[in-house]
Amino acid sequence: MNYQWYPGHMTKAKRMMEENIKLIDLLIELVDARVPLASRNPDIDTLGRGKARIVLLNKSDLADAACNKQWMEYFREKGIHVLEVNSKTGAGIRTINQLVQEACAQKLARDRKRGIVNRPVRAMVVGIPNVGKSTFINSYAGRACTRTGNKPGVTKGKQWIRLNQNLELLDTPGILWPKFEDQRVGMLLAFIGSINDEIMIMEELACDLLDCLREIAPALVEKRYQIAWEETAPEMLEAIARSRGCFLKGENLDLKKAADILTDDFRNGRLGRITLERVEQENER
């Protein structure tokens, strides 16, 4: 299956971000802790050149705890300020203020030399669709500032949010990039729901996910559905359908329903804490 999604509003959103970047001191980039590299838009590096940067490993509760620590060290070694957060529960959110001060230390020192005081840091919150930007902002602000949803494309335009006298946030729509050079990246983004499911063949997506899970966390799948691994992913999907009672009329299996169950279980952590990208794999490249 070809993994690609770049609706027209993303071109407009990228243009808006380019127009506003001159107003920004800091980029706060949210990534999905389960796929920390695949969920980084490479265009952000170009957009944010010369700006202070923070990477937040969001949805860290859904990722393997040991892998989270490895990815934290990976980003630190590259000189990137990084923090593990869970926007839904607020875990890690209180630490961000300190990290903002560290990331913007040079900017704040320059302001003081120029006699500029009490000017808030202006930060742009960026990330691909469905990494939890709006949930993060609401959690950080302690109030409902933005709309949230469990599918990509909820945020359509920019929005300035004054958090306190020291920080203002610019919320932006989630954007992908026009073409995935590596189809595996597109596949991983489809797994986490950053590509619209409506353009996906969910049975094929589920089979690709099963192939990945066979390598990384086979025992978690077996435990969840009380089945043993079959020889192929399509056979495994059929086993899940039988286990969950997914039938059409007669004895025909409803594989679309089984695929939806599997992907939903993965996305919401019901299979367990799973990281699909590993630091050691990246270091081998």
Side-chain angles (χ1 to χ4, degrees), residues 3-20:
Y3 291 97
Q4 201 68 47
W5 187 50
Y6 193 72
H9 76 269
M10 290 188 182
T11 300
K12 181 179 179 181
K14 182 181 177 184
R15 191 178 305 120
M16 178 271 291
M17 292 165 68
E18 291 170 342
E19 291 170 354
N20 284 276

Side-chain angles (χ1 to χ4, degrees), residues 22-196:
K22 61 182 178 292
L23 307 173
I24 300 302
D25 306 307
L26 169 70
L27 280 178
I28 299 178
E29 181 183 7
L30 271 75
V31 301
D32 190 305
R34 295 167 294 182
V35 286
L37 296 186
S39 57
R40 296 193 76 196
N41 185 337
D43 290 343
I44 299 300
D45 287 334
T46 303
L47 180 72
R49 188 174 293 123
K51 301 292 181 179
R53 300 285 295 275
I54 291 175
V55 169
L56 300 180
L57 295 175
N58 197 28
K59 304 187 181 183
S60 58
D61 59 312
L62 303 179
D64 180 271
C67 291
N68 286 344
K69 290 182 173 59
Q70 292 171 355
W71 281 114
M72 292 273 287
E73 186 60 29
Y74 172 89
F75 285 112
R76 286 188 184 119
E77 288 178 355
K78 293 186 175 299
I80 297 174
H81 293 85
V82 61
L83 187 64
E84 185 180 335
V85 299
N86 177 352
S87 295
K88 283 190 175 181
T89 65
I93 297 297
R94 291 185 178 181
T95 314
I96 296 175
N97 286 336
Q98 178 184 340
L99 203 62
V100 169
Q101 295 297 310
E102 292 175 4
C104 296
Q106 292 183 349
K107 179 263 179 193
L108 294 172
R110 286 196 303 269
D111 282 355
R112 283 193 294 271
K113 284 185 177 180
R114 296 169 183 168
I116 301 172
V117 294
N118 298 326
R119 178 186 176 276
V121 170
R122 287 189 145 191
M124 182 184 287
V125 182
V126 298
I128 66 169
N130 212 37
V131 290
K133 294 187 304 303
S134 296
T135 302
F136 159 70
I137 289 175
N138 291 341
S139 179
Y140 195 8
R143 62 186 188 276
C145 302
T146 64
R147 291 178 59 208
T148 63
N150 61 359
K151 63 180 181 179
V154 173
T155 303
K156 295 294 186 182
K158 70 177 183 179
Q159 180 182 4
W160 279 104
I161 297 135
R162 182 73 177 261
L163 290 191
N164 52 54
Q165 64 179 4
N166 298 316
L167 183 63
E168 293 180 353
L169 296 182
L170 176 60
D171 186 21
T172 61
I175 60 170
L176 296 171
W177 50 108
K179 183 179 180 181
F180 302 131
E181 298 297 336
D182 183 353
Q183 276 291 292
R184 178 173 172 78
V185 169
M187 180 180 70
L188 293 175
L189 297 186
F191 291 163
I192 65 172
S194 292
I195 297 178
N196 194 336

Side-chain angles (χ1 to χ4, degrees), residues 206-218:
C207 286
D208 286 343
L209 178 57
L210 284 167
D211 282 334
C212 289
L213 294 175
R214 182 194 296 268
E215 298 179 11
I216 295 172

